[in-house]
Amino acid sequence: MDLLEKLRDIERRCARYAAGTAIPGMTVIDRILGPCEVLVGGRPTMMFGSNNYLGLTLHPEVIRAASEALREYGTGTTGSRTANGTLGLHEDLEAEFADWFGKRHAIIFSTGYQANLSLIGGLCGPGDVILIDSDSHASIYDATRQTASQVIGFRHNSPESLRKKLERLPRGERNRLVVVEGLYSIRGDVAPLGEIAAVCREHGAYLVVDEAHSLGTYGASGLGCAEAQGVLDRVDFIVGTFSKSLAGIGGVCVSDHPELRALHFLARAYVFTASGSPSNIASVRAAVRVVREHPELRDDLWANIRRLRHGLQERGYVIGDTESPIVPIITGDEERTIALWQRLLGEGLYVNLIVPPGCPKGECVLRASCSAAHTPEHITRALDILARVGVELGATVAS
Ligand SMILES: Cc1ncc(COP(=O)(O)O)c(C=O)c1O
């Protein structure tokens, strides 16, 4: 097969769905009208597809911190943390995270993706064993590939499957690292972290929990699912990203293990890439402060989650079981799901489209996500559109 053939294949798939309307994966947002409203193709559109869970992208404190840092430090660091790209701002943000989590150490990365690459790549090498949940995010899969470690998948959210895989390994010979997520980004379900941590302890495995989607949204202080489940002290490494509730870009790992600091010299995805830009780092610190000082944002978010879930069920949609900021609307067939997504967008409602390879064939999903910044009116309007379009296209149980 010609080298370019697989690229042509993608073009053909896009062309199949183009037909004068929005092409999945290629939506352009022309303007931002508010934390939950955008302009797409000249049309005001309600955003139910972003990860702006606490609505902080336009928060005045966050914008002010970014503007001040931009004026004071300029636009970029022009170097990696290890070379010439460490500013006081980076260290201040690390101290803020350590304090927030009550952990001794924190290290920040240029993206959440690179946080997993750096941590897992820094910890593991040939001869080690990494056990990952079968629904893991691409960054976790990619992180394991660079290690030359043995990688073993276990059944999604199944401590029993993890236990069996660990039991089959020869005792004590090789280091074991278990990697799970707090809240899974497609199905919106939560890991049973207490049971997973117990299995890890029984088998002498270190535990990483990626709280990308749960940071800011779960737990009394917004620290994520480990906090919400009371097991923060039983997790070795917590990973977070800035690109969701914290309304910026970057990643973080916190831990009580002092060895975490060595990633500064060891992790390729940290050493060989530029550090976060000053305005971004300052904005993330401001966002952390807002999250710490305003727990009521989480109350608003959860009220919206309940409103949306209840409304979808009332209108005959089949949705995922777990109450979470991610609401998967189960739609099944690819053609129908894409038609539905295009119609919703045409009506001014943006949700995320999950089709293969993002999910197995025939298990397509429209992924709606809630924000603290959605108003009751946003949710009512979104439900009205979903009800109308769902009946027209036969996507609801009632239709
Ligand atoms: C579980 C998980 N980890 C890591 C990432 C990567 O984060 P970022 O987009 O900040 O690179 C994501 C992004 O969606 C994610 O869902």
Side-chain angles (χ1 to χ4, degrees), residues 51 111-114 116 137 139-140 181 185 210 212-213 241-244 250:
N51 304 306
T111 65
Y113 181 92
Q114 285 163 301
N116 280 329
H137 186 258
S139 58
I140 295 172
E181 296 172 37
S185 60
D210 180 345
H213 291 267
T241 167
F242 308 162
S243 62
K244 307 185 194 308

Side-chain angles (χ1 to χ4, degrees), residues 12-331:
R12 280 193 288 271
R13 198 167 167 208
C14 287
R16 207 166 109 222
Y17 292 112
T21 169
I23 303 177
M26 296 180 74
T27 315
V28 178
I29 293 167
D30 302 321
R31 272 181 55 203
I32 301 292
L33 305 175
C36 297
E37 284 179 50
V38 295
L39 202 67
V40 176
R43 177 182 191 110
T45 300
M46 288 180 290
M47 179 48 90
F48 277 78
S50 96
N51 304 306
N52 193 10
Y53 296 125
L54 299 179
L56 298 187
T57 50
L58 296 174
H59 191 285
E61 290 297 312
V62 176
I63 302 250
R64 191 173 55 78
S67 320
E68 281 176 11
L70 183 61
R71 274 194 296 274
E72 202 174 321
Y73 294 88
T75 51
T77 64
T78 71
S80 98
R81 289 291 304 280
T82 321
N84 57 301
T86 293
L87 299 171
L89 289 174
H90 295 97
E91 296 203 324
D92 291 348
L93 182 57
E94 286 171 340
E96 181 85 39
F97 272 111
D99 182 62
W100 188 20
F101 274 84
K103 295 277 184 190
R104 283 198 279 279
H105 307 282
I107 180 165
I108 60 171
F109 306 91
S110 303
T111 65
Y113 181 92
Q114 285 163 301
N116 280 329
L117 246 58
S118 302
L119 177 68
I120 296 169
L123 289 173
C124 298
D128 299 325
V129 185
I130 311 174
L131 297 105
I132 61 173
D133 185 289
S134 58
D135 270 15
S136 289
H137 186 258
S139 58
I140 295 172
Y141 274 101
D142 293 355
T144 63
R145 285 195 188 122
Q146 42 158 3
T147 59
S149 302
Q150 183 186 358
V151 181
I152 300 175
F154 59 91
R155 208 151 23 86
H156 176 56
N157 270 350
S158 169
E160 209 28 59
S161 167
L162 171 62
R163 173 179 284 114
K164 282 195 185 127
K165 302 278 171 161
L166 280 162
E167 275 168 1
R168 279 187 213 141
L169 291 172
R171 258 203 179 267
E173 269 175 37
R174 291 187 291 167
N175 296 312
R176 300 113 191 260
L177 181 72
V178 172
V179 186
V180 297
E181 296 172 37
L183 170 65
Y184 283 84
S185 60
I186 305 291
R187 299 198 211 185
D189 52 350
V190 169
L193 294 176
E195 289 164 82
I196 289 173
V199 174
C200 288
R201 189 167 286 191
E202 259 173 57
H203 291 272
Y206 285 91
L207 175 60
V208 174
V209 178
D210 180 345
E211 301 267 21
H213 291 267
S214 28
L215 181 66
T217 57
Y218 282 76
S221 311
L223 300 178
C225 292
E227 183 196 25
Q229 295 178 35
V231 295
L232 205 51
D233 58 339
R234 288 155 62 194
V235 178
D236 293 286
F237 302 96
I238 303 254
V239 171
T241 167
F242 308 162
S243 62
K244 307 185 194 308
S245 287
L246 299 179
I249 183 160
V252 64
C253 178
V254 296
S255 177
D256 280 330
H257 294 294
E259 293 83 357
L260 183 72
R261 290 187 304 234
L263 293 184
H264 184 80
F265 296 103
L266 198 69
R268 295 172 67 81
Y270 173 98
V271 175
F272 297 105
T273 196
S275 57
S277 70
S279 55
N280 175 54
I281 297 299
S283 78
V284 172
R285 183 157 188 219
V288 170
R289 292 248 168 104
V290 172
V291 177
R292 294 183 79 172
E293 286 162 16
H294 295 281
E296 72 278 8
L297 284 170
R298 260 186 309 287
D299 300 337
D300 295 345
L301 170 68
W302 283 92
N304 284 341
I305 293 167
R306 290 183 191 113
R307 222 173 261 140
L308 182 67
R309 287 182 60 84
H310 180 69
L312 283 166
Q313 281 165 330
E314 255 188 0
R315 284 157 184 80
Y317 275 101
V318 179
I319 59 175
D321 295 336
T322 315
E323 205 170 70
S324 94
I326 296 163
V327 184
I329 305 173
I330 320 272
T331 45

